[in-house]
Amino acid sequence: MDSRDICTLSALELTEAYRAGTLSPVEATDAVLDAIDRVDGHLTAFCLVDPEGARASARDALQRYRDGRPRGPLDGVPTSIKDVFLTAGHPTYRGSTLLAEADDGTLPTVDAPVTAATLEAGCVVVGKTTTPEFAWKGVTDSLLLGATRNPYDPGLTPGGSSGGSASAVAAGLGPLSTGTDAGGSVRIPAAFTGTVALKPTYGVIPMFPSSPFGTLAHAGPMTRTVLDTAAFMDELIRPDSRDWSAVPPSATCPGGDGYLAAALDVGRSDRPLDGVRVAYSRNLGFGVNDSDVEREVDAAVHALSELGAHVDEIDLGLSDPVDAFHVLWFAGAAAVVKPLGDGAIDRIDPTLRDALGRYHDFTAQNYLDAVAERMALGVRLGAVHHTYDVLVTPTTPIPAFTAGADVPAGWHSPDWTSWTPYTYLFNMTQQPALSVPCGMTDSGLPVGVQLVGARFADRMVVRTGAALETRVVGRVPLPRVHASSQALT
């Protein structure tokens, strides 16, 4: 198989080929490393590439297949790690020039739980992906590395803060990546780049060290297909005692069946969503959508109905909880910057500095009021799931915009939260939320639909997404900047 064609395969397609002996982990890893060399100069998706370590891991995986003992369904799959997760033997700068300049050469000796689980699954880690400074915003650019770019149009942002991971996956630079999401940071870039991302219920994937954004922050898989997301989830939910707030795998897989089993189950029927109750809210009561986005999401909801789901369009009548979110969010952002010293504020991302100038000096009462609003929101959304299994919204109300900007040109607000009103709400409520690519705008940019479940109903969300994917697959073509393109050298 041509190396460029290898980069179009999903993770599960790769491992199927490994088992059949028609492709090896070494060949796949070489293809991805070659693609990074050819393609990433157009994107800046990676901040670190480890060819030597990746090839050694690929050789180990190949031997396991030869011995008939692969570790699991993702053994030998080229994978990347967002540069907020500790990786033993490699630096973690979190997109910050301050951390890079303070590097004294001492490297981490432990892996974050997400990194450890990825390695234990046999995945071949090819490198680390870019993030804005401290993963603080919904786009990906930094003083350290500049702007990460969208494979569908390199003049546009891939979103963020897991934009490097999304850009890498979309461009064929490895079918799996890891991200974090404290306000939309895996789902926003998934919507902007035509990829799949899941923010699980809080605590389902262990995290260490703990995030400065506290219980808003989730880890999640970023892939090209819902099936790959499901397979990756089965590996990432491994227990890790370093996260005291983590929940056991049985919280979302009580019968022992995992995410991949739930996703594969939809192939048993032409109407796999019979009995599934879906609520569709176009705007949650406060958003305003681009007409192309709304058209494509409407079509995706119609597809859910054709798959057997009972769909009701509902008016949640919610008020935007952004003020409460800002208290929780920027209290965390300030906590990141303060320990870096008195002069740090003058050397961070200028838009983070400006935002901290707008959102600061919160009192304990402000914080408690925000927590109280968060709790009330959780009760309100929890009640929706007494009637409905899945709540559907657009992932974002707009498609991707200019790279290097926090907001679209001429936008009414400087805050990144102002253009992504459908994501941070579900960090506040800690519900599982999956973004699935469902179509394209008239200008050729991807659109994502968001599927939300009750807390710990993660497998229901993944199963619904897998069913939807069977109807919308092909609506989002490969991007212009892709490893398979003959035009890129």
Side-chain angles (χ1 to χ4, degrees):
M1 181 180 293
D2 183 86
S3 65
R4 294 175 190 253
D5 293 332
I6 291 171
C7 294
T8 66
L9 299 178
S10 71
L12 292 177
E13 288 171 337
L14 283 174
T15 54
E16 182 180 5
Y18 298 165
R19 290 191 298 272
T22 58
L23 183 65
S24 79
V26 172
E27 292 171 307
T29 299
D30 283 342
V32 168
L33 290 170
D34 174 68
I36 293 170
D37 284 343
R38 288 186 293 106
V39 174
D40 196 44
H42 300 274
L43 301 174
T44 316
F46 284 85
C47 57
L48 181 150
V49 181
D50 181 19
E52 182 178 340
R55 290 190 169 103
S57 295
R59 290 191 295 270
D60 290 343
L62 173 59
Q63 190 60 52
R64 291 192 291 271
Y65 278 98
R66 286 175 171 170
D67 294 341
R69 295 185 298 177
R71 290 183 179 176
L74 299 180
D75 198 356
V77 174
T79 305
S80 54
I81 304 287
K82 183 179 179 180
D83 191 36
V84 296
F85 295 113
L86 292 179
T87 48
H90 297 294
T92 300
Y93 294 142
R94 297 159 64 195
S96 175
T97 55
L98 292 172
L99 297 186
E101 290 169 0
D103 185 356
D104 63 1
T106 303
L107 297 173
T109 58
V110 298
D111 290 313
V114 162
T115 310
T118 300
L119 293 170
E120 287 167 13
C123 296
V124 174
V125 174
V126 296
K128 302 190 75 173
T129 54
T130 54
T131 174
E133 191 163 29
F134 308 124
W136 85 272
K137 59 184 177 180
V139 295
T140 302
D141 58 71
S142 68
L143 295 175
L144 183 63
L145 292 166
T148 297
R149 298 179 180 277
N150 192 318
Y152 283 88
D153 181 342
L156 305 181
T157 180
S161 63
S162 306
S165 291
S167 185
V169 168
L173 310 183
L176 302 178
S177 194
T178 63
T180 57
D181 188 319
S185 289
V186 300
R187 292 161 290 153
I188 294 165
F192 282 7
T193 63
T195 54
V196 176
L198 174 67
K199 179 194 77 65
T201 299
Y202 177 79
V204 167
I205 297 178
M207 291 182 69
F208 175 84
S210 59
S211 169
F213 301 110
T215 58
L216 294 171
H218 307 55
M222 305 183 73
T223 73
R224 294 181 206 153
T225 71
V226 177
L227 289 180
D228 280 1
T229 289
F232 207 4
M233 277 297 295
D234 283 337
E235 305 297 341
L236 293 174
I237 61 175
R238 297 170 188 234
D240 193 303
S241 62
R242 292 174 293 174
D243 184 351
W244 63 269
S245 65
V247 299
S250 60
T252 57
C253 302
D257 289 336
Y259 287 81
L260 184 56
L264 291 172
D265 182 63
V266 303
R268 299 182 181 183
S269 168
D270 292 334
R271 291 174 58 85
L273 299 185
D274 271 337
V276 176
R277 303 160 299 169
V278 172
Y280 177 33
S281 176
R282 284 190 174 90
N283 59 21
L284 293 178
F286 52 83
V288 178
N289 301 325
D290 179 279
S291 60
D292 287 4
V293 169
E294 194 159 293
R295 178 194 67 215
E296 298 303 313
V297 175
D298 281 351
V301 171
H302 180 68
L304 291 174
S305 180
E306 292 180 329
L307 289 161
H310 174 84
V311 178
D312 290 330
E313 188 170 343
I314 65 170
D315 179 6
L316 288 173
L318 297 174
S319 298
D320 190 349
V322 69
D323 290 339
F325 178 78
H326 281 164
V327 172
L328 302 170
W329 183 261
F330 287 107
V336 175
V337 176
K338 186 175 181 180
L340 299 175
D342 293 338
I345 192 70
D346 298 320
R347 300 171 60 205
I348 60 172
D349 180 339
T351 56
L352 174 56
R353 181 169 60 247
D354 292 345
L356 289 173
R358 295 192 301 276
Y359 301 107
H360 65 284
D361 294 336
F362 297 123
T363 66
Q365 188 62 55
N366 294 147
Y367 195 87
L368 291 173
D369 288 346
V371 170
E373 183 170 345
R374 180 185 190 182
M375 293 173 68
L377 192 61
V379 171
R380 181 82 175 275
L381 270 295
V384 170
H385 291 288
H386 293 169
T387 304
Y388 298 101
D389 300 300
V390 178
L391 170 64
V392 178
T393 76
T395 305
T396 60
I398 61 172
F401 52 87
T402 304
D406 285 6
V407 299
W411 199 248
H412 63 273
S413 168
D415 295 326
W416 66 267
T417 47
S418 63
W419 53 260
T420 181
Y422 310 140
T423 55
Y424 52 80
L425 181 152
F426 299 109
N427 294 84
M428 297 176 75
T429 62
Q430 301 186 338
Q431 293 169 252
L434 175 73
S435 183
V436 179
C438 64
M440 303 287 282
T441 66
D442 290 343
S443 59
L445 298 175
V447 174
V449 60
Q450 179 172 233
L451 310 178
V452 182
R455 291 177 73 238
F456 304 112
D458 301 49
R459 286 198 312 144
M460 168 60 76
V461 169
V462 168
R463 185 179 182 277
T464 305
L468 176 62
E469 187 173 61
T470 65
R471 292 299 178 96
V472 300
V473 66
R475 294 187 187 178
V476 178
L478 291 178
R480 171 159 42 114
V481 179
H482 191 272
S484 64
S485 173
Q486 297 292 337
L488 298 176
T489 58

